[in-house]
């Protein structure tokens, strides 16, 4: 499985945008880029996914580099409830759609 | 909607005991997964199933068994509990390939 690299931790102030980076230089042409987050003492929660084009939903935006070797998850206005571990995962839909979790980025949001 | 229900939420076992972690879903999803998460780490896949009657090993299957007799249920069995199996166990479901996975709230298991 192609691997991803994320910073261990990031901090943000409440109400400000947050850009969470992810490097995936060995991504294959069929890999989708998925983001999940895990709030304290909860199971992971799907955030967003994309293949080539930038994607938006009610939770976040996903910006994908033109060469697809990196991507950025954008939280437009961080709140205290966004404090979580964010996982960037490459997923090949042809392999039973398994998810391979790394250690993710722990986002701290402060007042 | 209940979604993915895991029972029990907490359990303490003695070394060598056995138990079954239950996972039930009401979303009629084909795919189901079992993960474990050790402190400070990401999730690791134990077993998965792409439909009733079909199961396959994930990254860390040793010490565990699964079955999938119905679409709704995907129990995980520990036969001889060992301290290394102390972890948080998550069950997840998915409707079709590349759709998001939906996770339960987890079972926190300690083996002493």
């Amino acid at each position: 499985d192609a691997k991803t690299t994320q910073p261990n931790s990031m901090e943000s102030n409440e109400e400000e945008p947050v850009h969470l980076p992810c490097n995936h230089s060995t991504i294959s042409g069929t890999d989708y880029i998925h983001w999940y987050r895990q709030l304290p003492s909860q199971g992971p929660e799907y955030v967003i996914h994309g293949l080539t084009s930038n994607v938006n939903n009610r939770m976040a935006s996903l910006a994908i580099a033109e060469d697809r070797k990196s991507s950025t998850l954008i939280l437009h206005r961080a709140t205290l409830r966004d404090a979580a571990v964010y996982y960037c995962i490459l997923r090949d839909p042809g392999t039973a759609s398994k998810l391979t979790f790394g250690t993710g980025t722990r986002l701290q949001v402060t007042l | 909607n209940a979604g993915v229900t895991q029972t029990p939420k907490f359990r303490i076992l003695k070394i060598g005991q056995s138990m079954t972690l239950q996972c039930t879903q009401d979303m009629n999803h084909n795919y189901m997964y079992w993960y474990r998460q050790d402190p400070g780490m990401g999730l690791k896949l134990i077993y998965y199933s792409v439909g009733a009657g079909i199961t396959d090993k994930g990254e860390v299957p040793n010490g565990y068994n699964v079955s999938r007799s119905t679409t709704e249920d995907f129990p995980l069995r520990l036969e001889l509990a060992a301290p290394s199996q102390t972890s948080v166990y998550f069950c997840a479901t998915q409707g079709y390939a590349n759709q998001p996975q939906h996770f339960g709230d987890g079972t926190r298991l300690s083996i002493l």
Side-chain angles (χ1 to χ4, degrees), chain A residues 7-55:
Chain A
N8 288 332
S9 63
M10 292 184 64
E11 289 186 17
S12 174
N13 294 322
E14 198 176 21
E15 303 295 319
E16 292 188 354
V18 181
H19 291 234
L20 297 164
C22 181
N23 288 320
H24 30 77
S25 59
T26 60
I27 190 170
S28 74
T30 55
D31 284 338
Y32 282 74
I33 302 160
H34 286 247
W35 284 82
Y36 283 74
R37 71 179 186 181
Q38 187 174 22
L39 280 65
S41 300
Q42 294 189 24
E45 172 189 32
Y46 168 79
V47 177
I48 200 167
H49 77 280
L51 183 61
T52 56
S53 303
N54 294 343
V55 185

Side-chain angles (χ1 to χ4, degrees), chain B residues 22-69:
Chain B
Q22 301 291 346
C23 178
T24 300
Q25 55 115 345
D26 63 0
M27 296 179 285
N28 201 34
H29 282 174
N30 292 319
Y31 296 81
M32 295 188 75
Y33 306 83
W34 273 107
Y35 296 88
R36 60 175 286 174
Q37 184 174 32
D38 298 331
M41 305 297 289
L43 282 70
K44 293 185 178 181
L45 183 64
I46 306 171
Y47 271 95
Y48 66 98
S49 169
V50 300
I54 305 169
T55 62
D56 208 345
K57 296 178 180 179
E59 183 184 358
V60 289
N62 291 343
Y64 307 94
N65 281 298
V66 294
S67 60
R68 184 94 182 271
S69 57

